[in-house]
């Protein structure tokens, strides 16, 4: 009978390492020892400050204190991603749209997207036709409130913006308090046994450290899985052209006005992110080195920021290797975070992939025989998640229509399209994305794909050449009545919901003990807290 695992070694700190250590320590039996080894000489990347709606559930499952989290990590609320300037309309004017954390409703048994496609919504875009999130954003509000029984939108899905360095520090403190053994030392060598498993680590100060089961969180270098075990890296460069990023922290222009959404603004050779924390804004430029040098990209990025950037500010350049290891689990080693792979952060998926990788690891936790069936199933699921994220990111470029720079033309004509996305793009010329079109929906459901197509207004711009199929009877009066009620609901919700900064002050405990925030979490988070999408 196979012996159970008694010890886990995590190599590398940062968000990946400390989320792994603290999450596993919170979930595993106490008899399983958790040790984290990190170098005192290797800095963390420190970006990736936006999350998706599973994060509130994850923090709750680890038993982290809300008030301490918001205060220490300068966290803010995220209700979606605003995309700006990725597409143009018939006049050549830039289009903005949101990918929201909310699911469109059904109307007369049909998805709202079909009604919007058929009849439009006047001056409202698709998201505004059924939810108040964009209006809340424009009013500097968020989906939470300071209490009351008549909340027009009591259930919401939301995520967080957070300071990645402070978040890792908080997790480290909690992990150590709960029994994670923390070793500050450099790994100079890795010893393999006769099976090819990692048997021990040679530490510079402490000497030999025996390994039973190891998690590689060593970042882009992939020190264990890629270098020691030789697992090949599969590049996504043929699908996604951006390979460089530059990051900068800037102050809020007006500290009383904090957007409750991430922003992605398309520039000449990529896109600029804006992640508004409580105390500052994290921003940067993800771009293609084939279309801009670092100096050119810096000039373009700083011109985009204008007077938002402090005088003398200099962005930090970060090379990106976009792709993934062929397998996430090899022998007795699992890679999490950047050591397992990286896809450009357009949809804030990096922390989510660590989170899900940990949840799946618990579901397929090994014994000391490390049977292949368990590893194969885990690798198959992780492979599916990377494919899902890759396809969704590729969608944004393939459906772009900018012609003002060779970058945007190359992005949709020179890059490869994954096979299943190519099939769906042909299908979606005739109908909206449907629930049977996607092999997995770990994060991006068919309605998320709908939000991109309808948000970019691709059908108005000739996508499908008018060959769209709507076989069901659709009552325009039902749609107009829905729009009327939706508009009233939006007005009531915007009037009721709290100012974002005021809500954050309450969440931080800075408005006094009587200021409590009503947080009824919507279906998105409730489902993720139950690990939806695993099957």
């Amino acid at each position: 009978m196979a012996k159970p695992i008694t010890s886990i070694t995590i190599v590398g700190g940062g968000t990946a390492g400390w989320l792994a250590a603290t999450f596993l320590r919170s979930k595993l039996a106490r008899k399983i020892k958790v040790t984290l080894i990190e170098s005192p000489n290797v800095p963390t990347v420190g970006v990736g400050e936006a999350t998706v709606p599973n994060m509130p559930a994850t923090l709750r499952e680890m038993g982290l204190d809300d008030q301490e989290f918001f205060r220490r990590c300068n966290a803010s609320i995220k209700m979606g991603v605003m995309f700006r300037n990725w597409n143009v309309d018939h006049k050549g004017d830039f289009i903005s749209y949101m990918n929201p954390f909310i699911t469109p409703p059904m109307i007369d048994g049909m998805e709202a997207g079909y009604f919007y496609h058929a009849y439009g919504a006047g001056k409202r875009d698709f998201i505004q036709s059924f939810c108040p999130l964009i209006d809340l954003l424009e009013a500097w509000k968020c989906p939470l409130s300071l209490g009351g029984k008549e909340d027009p939108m009591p259930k919401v899905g939301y995520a967080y913006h957070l300071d990645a360095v402070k978040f890792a520090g908080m997790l480290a403190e909690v992990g150590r308090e709960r029994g994670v053994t923390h070793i500050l030392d450099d790994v100079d060598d890795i010893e393999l046994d006769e099976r090819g498993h990692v048997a021990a680590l040679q530490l510079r100060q402490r000497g030999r450290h025996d390994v039973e089961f190891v998690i590689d969180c060593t970042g882009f270098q992939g020190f264990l899985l890629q270098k020691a075990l030789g697992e090949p890296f599969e590049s996504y460069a043929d699908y996604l052209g951006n390979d460089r990023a530059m990051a900068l922290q800037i102050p809020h222009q007006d500290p009383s006005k904090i957007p409750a959404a991430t922003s992605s603004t398309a520039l000449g050779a990529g896109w600029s992110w804006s992640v508004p924390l409580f105390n500052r804004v994290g921003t940067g430029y993800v771009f293609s080195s084939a279309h801009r040098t670092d100096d050119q990209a810096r000039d373009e990025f700083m011109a985009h920021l204008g007077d938002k950037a402090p005088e003398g500010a200099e962005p930090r350049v970060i090379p990106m290797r976009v792709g993934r290891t062929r397998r996430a689990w090899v022998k007795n080693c699992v890679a999490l975070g950047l050591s397992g792979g990286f896809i450009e952060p357009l949809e804030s998926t990096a922390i989510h992939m660590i989170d899900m990788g940990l949840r799946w690891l618990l579901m397929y936790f090994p014994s000391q025989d490390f049977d292949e069936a368990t590893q194969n199933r885990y690798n198959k699921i992780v492979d599916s998640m990377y494919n899902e994220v890759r396809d969704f990111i590729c969608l944004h470029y393939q459906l772009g229509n900018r012609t003002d720079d060779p970058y945007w033309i190359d992005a949709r004509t020179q890059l490869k399209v994954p096979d299943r996305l190519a099939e769906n793009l042909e299908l979606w010329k005739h109908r909206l994305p449907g629930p049977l079109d996607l092999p997995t929906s770990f994060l991006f459901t068919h309605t998320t794909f709908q939000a991109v197509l309808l948000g970019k207004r691709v059908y108005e711009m000739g996508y499908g050449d008018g060959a769209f199929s709507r076989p069901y009877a659709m009552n325009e009066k039902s749609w107009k009545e829905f729009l009327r009620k939706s508009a009233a609901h939006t007005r009531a919700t915007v009037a009721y919901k709290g100012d974002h900064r005021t809500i954050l002050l309450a969440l931080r405990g800075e408005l006094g003990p009587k200021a409590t925030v009503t947080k009824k979490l919507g279906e998105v988070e409730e489902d993720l807290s139950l690990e939806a999408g695993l099957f």
Side-chain angles (χ1 to χ4, degrees):
M1 189 172 180
K3 294 180 180 180
I5 295 292
T6 62
S7 174
I8 299 174
T9 300
I10 299 166
V11 181
T15 302
W18 280 111
L19 181 56
T22 306
F23 187 84
L24 292 175
R25 182 68 286 155
S26 302
K27 295 286 189 179
L28 291 173
R30 298 298 300 180
K31 62 184 179 181
I32 301 177
K33 184 179 180 181
V34 178
T35 301
L36 185 142
I37 302 170
E38 65 177 327
S39 169
N41 304 308
V42 178
T44 61
V45 174
V47 294
E49 300 191 317
T51 63
V52 296
N54 67 313
M55 186 51 62
T58 299
L59 298 188
R60 187 172 64 246
E61 289 180 44
M62 288 192 293
L64 298 189
D65 180 74
D66 261 8
Q67 189 175 108
E68 185 180 9
F69 166 71
F70 274 95
R71 189 174 59 250
R72 290 185 56 173
C73 301
N74 285 308
S76 64
I77 301 298
K78 173 185 174 182
M79 54 188 179
V81 182
M82 279 299 303
F83 287 87
R84 309 180 193 279
N85 303 354
W86 281 73
N87 284 59
V88 297
D89 62 15
H90 285 292
K91 297 179 181 178
D93 296 330
F94 287 125
I95 294 170
S96 295
Y97 69 95
M98 176 183 268
N99 179 8
F101 298 147
I102 197 167
T103 301
M106 303 290 285
I107 302 167
D108 293 345
M110 285 282 288
E111 292 183 321
Y114 280 95
F115 284 89
Y116 178 83
H117 181 276
Y119 305 119
K123 294 182 179 180
R124 287 181 275 176
D125 74 358
F126 175 53
I127 303 304
Q128 287 176 303
S129 74
F130 68 87
C131 83
L133 298 189
I134 291 178
D135 297 79
L136 286 171
L137 179 65
E138 292 174 348
W140 306 101
K141 295 194 171 188
C142 75
L144 306 183
S145 62
L146 286 173
K149 297 180 180 179
E150 305 299 327
D151 191 336
M153 190 174 70
K155 285 193 174 184
V156 294
Y158 59 87
Y160 299 134
H161 304 117
L162 51 84
D163 184 313
V165 174
K166 292 182 181 297
F167 182 53
M170 180 181 176
L171 289 171
E173 185 176 308
V174 173
R176 288 192 295 263
E177 288 174 354
R178 294 182 182 177
V180 174
T181 299
H182 183 203
I183 297 175
L184 277 172
D185 208 341
D186 290 287
V187 178
D188 284 338
D189 197 11
I190 297 170
E191 177 186 328
L192 304 182
D193 64 16
E194 67 281 356
R195 299 176 298 170
H197 288 215
V198 177
L201 308 174
Q202 187 64 38
L203 305 185
R204 188 169 302 171
Q205 303 297 328
R206 290 178 173 242
R208 192 175 191 272
H209 174 88
D210 290 331
V211 167
E212 190 175 284
F213 182 36
V214 64
I215 298 177
D216 184 347
C217 296
T218 60
F220 282 123
Q221 65 174 322
F223 192 56
L224 281 85
L225 192 73
Q226 296 178 48
K227 291 185 177 178
L229 296 181
E231 186 64 11
F233 182 84
E234 295 184 348
S235 173
Y236 284 175
D238 289 343
Y239 302 101
L240 295 165
N242 295 335
D243 58 355
R244 305 281 282 179
M246 49 184 58
L248 190 65
Q249 296 177 2
I250 62 175
H252 286 289
Q253 286 191 295
D254 183 347
S256 68
K257 296 179 177 179
I258 304 176
T262 305
S263 179
S264 168
T265 302
L267 300 181
W271 54 276
S272 173
W273 76 81
S274 177
V275 177
L277 306 187
F278 176 78
N279 63 324
R280 62 161 172 85
V281 177
T283 186
Y285 186 15
V286 175
F287 65 97
S288 162
S289 64
H291 296 82
R292 295 289 190 278
T293 65
D294 286 354
D295 288 341
Q296 290 171 333
R298 180 199 175 280
D299 292 344
E300 189 172 26
F301 176 48
M302 299 306 286
H304 164 67
L305 293 179
D307 59 5
K308 295 179 182 178
E311 187 175 350
E314 188 65 31
R316 174 168 57 107
V317 177
I318 306 169
M320 300 190 312
R321 186 174 66 159
V322 178
R324 50 161 306 199
T325 55
R326 183 180 59 188
R327 293 174 296 173
W329 185 344
V330 177
K331 307 292 185 180
N332 65 334
C333 177
V334 171
L336 289 174
L338 299 179
S339 59
F342 178 75
I343 300 178
E344 66 175 79
L346 186 60
E347 289 286 353
S348 313
T349 53
I351 296 177
H352 173 74
M353 295 170 110
I354 300 168
D355 189 352
M356 298 309 290
L358 286 167
R359 292 174 182 274
W360 294 331
L361 184 58
L362 286 176
M363 293 184 69
Y364 296 100
F365 200 73
S367 55
Q368 290 191 35
D369 62 354
F370 295 100
D371 65 281
E372 288 189 6
T374 297
Q375 294 184 48
N376 291 342
R377 180 54 53 87
Y378 181 90
N379 285 328
K380 183 177 181 180
I381 294 171
V382 172
D383 179 69
S384 296
M385 177 172 63
Y386 270 95
N387 290 338
E388 178 184 315
V389 173
R390 180 201 61 196
D391 288 5
F392 189 63
I393 302 302
C394 288
L395 176 79
H396 293 72
Y397 296 99
Q398 288 302 312
L399 292 180
N401 66 348
R402 286 182 55 161
T403 58
D404 55 311
D405 193 285
Y407 167 84
W408 290 103
I409 299 172
D410 290 347
R412 63 178 175 271
T413 62
Q414 300 304 310
L415 294 174
K416 287 184 179 179
V417 184
D419 289 343
R420 70 179 189 181
L421 177 61
E423 293 176 4
N424 277 328
L425 286 173
E426 286 300 313
L427 176 68
W428 296 338
K429 291 178 180 179
H430 305 278
R431 53 190 43 81
L432 292 179
L436 302 181
D437 298 345
L438 305 173
T440 63
S441 297
F442 295 124
L443 181 59
F444 303 118
T445 66
H446 73 282
T447 58
T448 320
F449 281 81
Q450 287 183 14
V452 176
L453 271 72
L454 295 174
K456 286 175 172 284
R457 293 159 56 180
V458 297
Y459 297 105
E460 298 176 33
M461 302 302 296
Y463 183 65
D465 297 325
F468 200 85
S469 174
R470 288 192 303 270
Y472 298 102
M474 296 171 58
N475 189 330
E476 187 174 2
K477 290 183 179 179
S478 296
W479 175 241
K480 289 182 176 179
E481 177 63 14
F482 170 81
L483 289 178
R484 184 188 66 78
K485 291 180 178 179
S486 176
H489 177 261
T490 290
R491 290 192 296 270
T493 301
V494 173
Y496 184 90
K497 293 295 185 179
D499 165 75
H500 189 202
R501 186 173 188 277
T502 302
I503 293 292
L504 294 179
L505 287 171
L507 290 167
R508 292 164 65 93
E510 297 176 10
L511 287 185
K514 293 184 179 180
T516 57
V517 178
T518 300
K519 296 188 294 179
K520 293 184 179 179
L521 305 179
E523 294 178 358
V524 174
E525 186 190 344
E526 288 173 349
D527 285 346
L528 279 167
S529 71
L530 297 173
E531 302 168 3
L534 296 177
F535 303 100

